[in-house]
Amino acid sequence: MSATTHALHLDRFEAAKAGLPGDARARADALARYAKLGVPTPKLEAWHFTSLKPLDEAALAPSDAKVAVTAATVAGHALSTSHAHHQLVFVDGHFRADLSRIGTLPKGVVLTGWSAAKSLPKDFLAEAADAGAMRVLNAAYAADGAILEVPAGVALAAPVHLMFLGASGAAHARNRITMGEGASATVLETYVGTGRYWTNAVTDISIAAGAMLKHLKLQTEGGEAFHTAATAAHVAAKGVYDSFVLSIGGKLARNEIDAVLKGEGGRVKLEGAYLARARQHIDNTTIIDHAAAHCDSEERYRGVLDDHAYAAFQGRIVVRPDAQKTNAHQLNENLLLSDRAEIGSKPELEIHADDVKCGHGATAGEIDEQALFYLRARGIGLEQARGMLIEAFVSELIDAIADEAIRDRFTASVGGWLYDAQGARRAA
Amino acid sequence: MLEIKNLHVEVDGKEILHGIDLSLAAGEVHAVMGPNGSGKSTLAYVLAGRDGYAVTKGEILFQGKDLAAMSPEERAREGVFLGFQYPVEIPGVSGLSFLKAAVNEVRKHRGIKELDAMEFLKFVRAKLKMLEMGDDLLKRPINVGFSGGEKKRVEVLQMAVLEPRLAIMDETDSGLDIDALKIVSSGINALRGLDRSMLVITHYQRLLGYVVPDKVHILSGGRIVRSGGKELALELEEKGYAVLGADAA
């Protein structure tokens, strides 16, 4: 047996499957599909900018989740308790009721880890025929994850915080969010951890007519960690999917979002920021599929890259033949702090309707020297001035986050990244 | 206050200023006038320390210290203020937080206690009142979407808040209509004082009708070709730069 992450996942399945909940047959099928697909390589269009070779070579086996985590560790990553919220904690992909604080929920709302759920949705492990390798591997191994069901007409006022702690091996969490007609909720996923591990998460979202989900993600995995995540959101008529992904951590991180506008009057907003340094590799790959007429999508990602960092942005927008009166706009802007940092930015517009408004743009630039001089000419030191301009670039997006506790948390993470950057520069 | 001696300045390897001598005493206001391309903005930038403006000969002494050896931020903390001809728009940074950071850098340098948020607000409000300004512009990102007049008013406000010993106003009048010019001029006048010197750089005499200088210098081709009293500006207005031995604008 060659010790690769790939081989370990194939070899351990027989022993692991008895302990995995749900449809055993679906899992076996998923593993067979994974075995066929193999680890994605840059030869695949969807993985053009990202090689998973370092992940494969890291030889990470499926996690057995025996890692001890203290309440103090969880508290350190929690949202401020001065804001009401529902907190679910997962360690290496496994729900930990003892560390969670779900609190009181409006009538009819289901919020739990699925190892603690009364029943599992039938199609829980189902994967589309064209699903990628990482998704089907997750289907084979997923043992737990969050379930949120907000019934029709219910507004879940306090945000839901799903905290994922990584410590060892490969964690395949699988989350499901179901929003009934006219329902609304805010969900924050945070990913943190220490050591060498792999998070391979799937989050499936269904948004019924007139419902709204604000979905935020803060990825601050440990510096030796790997992170691959796939989010799929289906949006019905007049539904809203509003996403913000802030990626800071991990040695190699990839975030995929696949949003489908299935009914007229739907809206998708994908925003994100990524901050990378050293030899970090951060990939954001998104697809917005306009499958119905009269829908709007707006996409805006901003990146800050230092040292030898590499970022990829692939934004595909599909406008189907019937999706007339589509408005779709995409913008990817990058700030390069080092001449060795690199961005691969690829917009893909695939438009099959004629009465649409679509636009895209991508930029990469350095810190504005004029702005830097302006700040310095007022007495602000070079490092602080640089920090202010970098922070401003990112905070223009973050400041628009409506939930105060989450916005503060994102701002603090960006501040922490800048503080580390300045420390590193001073030491150099 | 400011002693410029035989100052030669290069930009991109090309000499722009060919030996400037200028002496500005405490409390004095001097105007530097000149046609386009005479080196006016180069003089402003080299005093403020912009990258790419290299002093190749001569010296700049500010309160006896070698200004050319300092970084832009050190100059500002020592009390040099540049009012920009084109104030830079900086999205994402609020005017208020920027100004608080700047004021506290200056105070730290001078060994004065830094202001907390409440103290700073009080301090700024007093300055706003003196200049008859509202605080709406400060709440927005720096200069973003401001009109030309608003930008220049905020420059004057920044000067009021930073309390510099030397203010260099680089073509503060450019792009202003007569009403805005009056407002900005009265702001500058309100900030004149015995221990504050000003170097007012301008192309036209018009500003000097409101901000009356103690002395006028004519800059042309990178040299000061003539110096005189405030009547020199009027003479210039009447006869044009060519008559005074300067290149035509």
Side-chain angles (χ1 to χ4, degrees):
Chain A
M1 181 184 84
S2 57
T4 61
T5 299
H6 175 72
L8 286 166
H9 276 76
L10 294 180
D11 297 344
R12 298 277 171 95
F13 188 70
E14 278 307 311
K17 69 180 185 188
L20 293 167
D23 185 345
R25 196 147 161 203
R27 288 183 184 280
D29 288 349
L31 192 82
R33 282 172 68 182
Y34 170 74
K36 223 176 202 174
L37 290 166
V39 179
T41 73
K43 283 181 191 153
L44 294 171
E45 189 66 23
W47 290 84
H48 183 65
F49 294 110
T50 299
S51 166
L52 289 178
K53 217 171 147 208
L55 166 63
D56 201 27
E57 287 170 355
L60 295 164
S63 168
D64 54 6
K66 299 257 162 50
V67 177
V69 171
T70 65
T73 303
V74 170
H77 299 300
L79 288 178
S80 159
T81 48
S82 58
H83 298 273
H85 62 276
H86 312 282
Q87 173 183 292
L88 276 73
V89 176
F90 299 83
V91 176
D92 285 338
H94 294 263
F95 179 56
R96 288 284 298 270
D98 58 320
L99 298 170
S100 299
R101 284 183 297 100
I102 293 177
T104 315
L105 296 162
K107 195 165 175 281
V109 172
V110 174
L111 176 63
T112 181
W114 50 275
S115 58
K118 290 190 186 88
S119 64
L120 289 179
K122 264 210 196 80
D123 60 346
F124 210 82
L125 302 172
E127 284 296 343
D130 60 350
M134 295 295 107
R135 272 197 74 107
V136 292
L137 182 62
N138 175 287
Y141 273 102
D144 215 332
I147 294 179
L148 170 64
E149 290 169 23
V150 186
V154 173
L156 186 55
V160 172
H161 180 193
L162 309 177
M163 185 194 301
F164 297 88
L165 298 163
S168 69
H172 301 279
R174 196 171 186 88
N175 310 305
R176 167 82 55 113
I177 300 170
T178 309
M179 306 294 297
E181 277 191 24
S184 64
T186 298
V187 174
L188 167 68
E189 291 179 34
T190 60
Y191 291 85
V192 291
T194 49
R196 206 168 57 148
Y197 61 92
W198 174 28
T199 300
N200 180 40
V202 166
T203 303
D204 285 326
I205 298 165
S206 154
I207 297 171
M212 177 172 78
L213 179 69
K214 289 190 177 177
H215 187 203
L216 301 105
K217 174 173 166 178
L218 175 61
Q219 187 274 98
T220 52
E221 302 273 28
E224 289 303 305
F226 298 91
H227 180 98
T228 51
T231 297
H234 288 201
V235 184
K238 294 194 173 131
V240 177
Y241 177 61
D242 183 346
S243 156
F244 195 112
V245 178
L246 176 59
S247 301
I248 294 177
K251 178 193 179 85
L252 190 162
R254 156 122 161 168
N255 199 68
E256 284 177 34
I257 300 176
D258 187 346
V260 188
L261 286 152
K262 300 184 116 171
E264 291 195 2
R267 224 161 66 77
V268 165
K269 185 159 108 181
L270 305 184
E271 288 188 323
Y274 41 94
L275 311 173
R277 67 160 66 90
R279 293 189 177 272
Q280 270 182 294
H281 182 113
I282 295 185
D283 176 330
N284 281 284
T285 293
T286 66
I287 303 173
I288 301 173
D289 184 354
H290 283 262
H294 295 280
C295 291
D296 294 344
S297 70
E298 200 185 314
E299 181 167 24
R300 199 170 184 196
Y301 274 73
R302 281 189 169 181
V304 179
L305 306 175
D306 204 351
D307 306 327
H308 283 87
Y310 187 95
F313 174 82
Q314 299 183 99
R316 189 160 157 233
I317 297 173
V318 181
V319 180
R320 308 247 166 207
D322 294 337
Q324 301 294 357
K325 303 286 180 191
T326 287
N327 272 312
H329 295 278
Q330 180 190 85
L331 190 57
N332 174 229
E333 298 161 290
N334 296 278
L335 194 54
L336 304 179
L337 305 180
S338 146
D339 52 14
R340 290 159 301 176
E342 211 179 317
I343 168 79
S345 186
K346 190 171 73 169
E348 289 175 81
L349 269 57
E350 200 184 299
I351 300 169
H352 303 288
D354 48 17
D355 188 10
V356 301
K357 281 183 190 149
C358 296
H360 68 86
T363 65
E366 296 168 18
I367 285 186
D368 181 352
E369 285 299 323
Q370 289 193 45
L372 200 60
F373 176 63
Y374 190 77
L375 296 176
R376 295 177 75 192
R378 296 294 177 257
I380 295 170
L382 177 61
E383 279 308 310
Q384 195 187 348
R386 279 173 65 97
M388 284 172 90
L389 293 174
I390 297 164
E391 191 175 11
F393 181 69
V394 178
S395 69
E396 269 194 286
L397 295 180
I398 290 176
D399 286 350
I401 294 173
D403 186 274
E404 192 186 344
I406 296 175
R407 187 175 64 238
D408 287 353
R409 188 57 199 283
F410 277 39
T411 301
S413 292
V414 171
W417 187 87
L418 284 169
Y419 183 81
D420 290 348
Q422 290 180 5
R425 238 192 301 281
R426 270 193 297 275
Chain B
M1 179 73 69
L2 179 69
E3 287 285 337
I4 301 175
K5 295 177 187 166
N6 190 32
L7 181 67
H8 291 252
V9 174
E10 273 185 13
V11 180
D12 293 333
K14 190 179 166 224
E15 191 170 280
I16 307 289
L17 298 181
H18 312 291
I20 302 280
D21 290 283
L22 198 155
S23 175
L24 183 59
E28 283 187 351
V29 175
H30 288 198
V32 174
M33 301 184 70
N36 292 333
S38 60
K40 296 193 302 288
S41 282
T42 297
L43 180 61
Y45 282 142
V46 80
L47 291 174
R50 183 161 196 161
D51 279 351
Y53 292 75
V55 175
T56 52
K57 213 194 256 184
E59 60 181 351
I60 310 167
L61 293 177
F62 174 64
Q63 299 185 307
K65 292 179 188 166
D66 178 10
L67 202 63
M70 297 180 201
S71 67
E73 54 268 37
E74 285 169 330
R75 298 178 200 210
R77 292 168 193 168
E78 283 285 331
V80 175
F81 177 89
L82 170 64
F84 282 69
Q85 181 180 4
Y86 303 110
V88 184
E89 297 194 9
I90 309 182
V93 180
S94 94
L96 212 55
S97 64
F98 150 66
L99 213 46
K100 177 167 172 279
V103 164
N104 280 332
E105 286 298 333
V106 171
R107 291 177 74 95
K108 207 157 53 181
H109 182 75
R110 292 180 187 166
I112 317 168
K113 192 183 145 295
E114 292 175 49
L115 299 176
D116 65 25
M118 287 312 291
E119 291 165 337
F120 177 71
L121 218 52
K122 212 174 141 191
F123 175 71
V124 166
R125 287 210 175 110
K127 300 290 185 186
L128 285 165
K129 202 174 166 198
M130 181 183 79
L131 296 172
E132 297 172 356
M133 280 176 71
D135 63 357
D136 47 324
L137 291 176
L138 282 184
K139 288 179 177 163
R140 289 159 54 185
I142 303 170
N143 293 320
V144 176
F146 291 11
S147 70
E150 286 173 333
K151 282 180 182 169
K152 298 298 169 75
R153 288 188 78 183
V154 168
E155 291 290 294
V156 173
L157 173 68
Q158 289 179 14
M159 170 165 58
V161 168
L162 292 169
E163 302 176 331
R165 296 188 176 110
L166 168 67
I168 305 146
M169 307 306 284
D170 186 12
E171 306 214 23
T172 298
D173 51 336
S174 71
L176 298 188
D177 61 29
I178 195 71
D179 292 328
L181 183 68
K182 278 183 190 167
I183 292 169
V184 168
S185 305
S186 73
I188 295 174
N189 284 330
L191 295 170
R192 290 177 77 152
L194 289 175
D195 58 355
R196 180 167 300 139
S197 309
M198 294 186 184
L199 203 57
V200 177
I201 295 172
T202 181
H203 186 108
Y204 302 104
Q205 190 275 334
R206 163 176 107 124
L207 173 69
L208 304 180
Y210 300 97
V211 179
V212 181
D214 298 302
K215 231 173 165 186
V216 174
H217 308 277
I218 312 293
L219 191 62
S220 175
R223 290 186 178 85
I224 288 178
V225 293
R226 225 177 124 179
S227 295
K230 58 177 187 258
E231 36 332 308
L232 183 55
L234 294 168
E235 192 185 333
L236 198 64
E237 174 84 347
E238 215 170 279
K239 299 177 182 167
Y241 282 111
V243 178
L244 292 160
D247 303 330

